[in-house]
Amino acid sequence: MVAMRLIAGTTGPGSADRPDAVSVAGRTLSSEALLGASLAVADEVHGATVVAVDATPTLETVVAVLGGLLAGAAVVPVPADAGPAEREHILRDSGAHHTLTDVDVTRRSSSSYPVPAPDDAALIMYTSGTTGAPKGVVHTHASLEAGVDAVAEAWDWTPDDRLVHGLPLFHVHGLVLGVLGATRAGSPLVHTGKPQPERYAAAGGTLYFGVPTVWSRVCAQPAAARALTRARLLVSGSAALPVPVFERLHALTGHRPVERYGMTETLITISSRADGPRRAGHVGFPVRGVQTRVDAEDGAIGELSVRGPMLLRRYVHQPADLVDGWFRTGDIARKDPDGWHRIVGRASTDLIKSGGYRIGAGEVEDALLAHPAVREAAVIGTPHADLGEAVTAYVVVSTTVGDGELADFVARHLSIHKRPRIVHLVEALPRNAMGKVQKKRLGGPML
């Protein structure tokens, strides 16, 4: 279902052939060529129930994923940076019958395939594995359709848009939104190969996707940032966008970026809207069909649960962790009285219990980033004999500054109990492919 209807946006009956339906790192396919090449892949894998794709930032990956979906297989995107052990685990755990590695995008086919049932598996995406071995998340054609249609409605995404991004093609952000969302909406996709500011500036898009690291780098190149003033919408996700980056992006481009929230298991469930206000540090409201609740009282921070049609149907080899349709995200959030949601962080690393207070790491990080000498900041709780946990900051600075000065700076901007008790000045923060800080690695030898 999702396979035919996603690709039909640019290639369906009666639609004009788009010469630039998809472009990756300067290589382009028309919508007619995209369909023909994808059907050639479908011919190759037809009959397989699970197909793995080496998800590199290439035109071959786009064609391979669409071809697998058209054939009715469940597609497993294998991270381009996966080590041998992770790759072996994904292939073995998913039961992939075939791995697409050498896709020829010049091949063409005119075959036809039956439309998969809504509840047939479409994608098996693996979690980051921060709390154990990566788990395979099974999304169906119905959950993918619900997910991409909900964000298209929230962002007024139409065939008149031109999407630009340079994100990895094995995550929700880059693949589900950035490839399937574009083909579903019928809008051309320009993948820049790498998310470099100068490539974003030259792409001439109306809709741009980026993670906070990308937007921070865009802001560091004002000329590239100002080139984005002609866009319609800038979207940030995959990690919290620091308030100073939000404000700097607004100053340079005139755009207040849309922030949104989602997970591998849930796709996008909360977002600010194209036709509404955007509030720095907040991810907006539930998208169409979604309900949320926060396990807290009187506007305090607590664990976020979500319910909606885009949630996973199951994990590989085990049922989904759903209770009456609700999924506990493991993320800490605050829901304001007017309905705005703010994601504080992960319950395991970003909720700090210090001296009887519940402190969100993200709030302290934003305060640190407001200091002119601070380039990057990550905050965690570390064991403390008296307080239970001490607010501990790891900070990358651009000029010489003392740790005491940074702690005092936070205390002047937030409640004094939120100031860092310990400040480590480091050369870099450990990040994954999506730019998320890997807080489990903080404190290791690399610092």
Side-chain angles (χ1 to χ4, degrees), residues 173 210-215 235-242 258-262 281-283 331 343-345 350 365 431-432 434-438:
H173 200 167
V211 299
T213 302
V214 171
W215 296 126
V235 178
S236 183
S238 296
L241 182 67
V258 162
E259 296 184 65
R260 86 300 180 283
Y261 168 79
H282 292 70
V283 293
D331 285 324
I343 306 301
V344 176
D350 294 314
E365 289 163 357
R431 296 181 181 273
N432 65 13
M434 293 299 289
K436 291 183 181 179
V437 175
Q438 296 176 299

Side-chain angles (χ1 to χ4, degrees), residues 4 39 42-44 46 70-72 109 111-116:
M4 296 298 184
L39 286 170
D43 291 346
E44 178 183 344
H46 180 58
L70 287 168
S109 171
S111 301
S112 62
Y113 291 91
V115 176

Side-chain angles (χ1 to χ4, degrees), residues 162 164 192 196-208 215 217-234 248-255:
R162 179 182 177 88
V164 176
T192 57
Q196 296 172 336
E198 59 272 19
R199 295 187 182 186
Y200 272 40
T206 64
L207 179 61
Y208 285 81
W215 296 126
R217 291 173 181 173
V218 167
C219 290
Q221 297 189 29
R226 293 189 183 100
L228 304 186
T229 58
R230 296 183 293 273
R232 182 179 68 82
L233 210 64
L234 309 183
R248 178 68 170 156
L249 197 59
H250 181 215
L252 288 170
T253 69
H255 290 287

Side-chain angles (χ1 to χ4, degrees), residues 371-374 396-403 405-406 425:
H371 191 286
V374 175
V396 180
V397 297
S398 57
T399 59
T400 301
V401 61
D403 54 359
E405 178 184 339
L406 294 176
L425 300 179

Side-chain angles (χ1 to χ4, degrees), residues 147-158 181 184-185:
V148 296
D149 287 352
V151 296
E153 189 274 333
W155 301 341
D156 292 339
W157 194 351
T158 74
R184 174 76 166 172

Side-chain angles (χ1 to χ4, degrees), residues 67-90:
L69 292 173
L70 287 168
V75 175
V76 184
V78 180
D81 59 353
E86 181 182 2
R87 178 183 175 84
E88 181 183 356
H89 167 74
I90 290 173

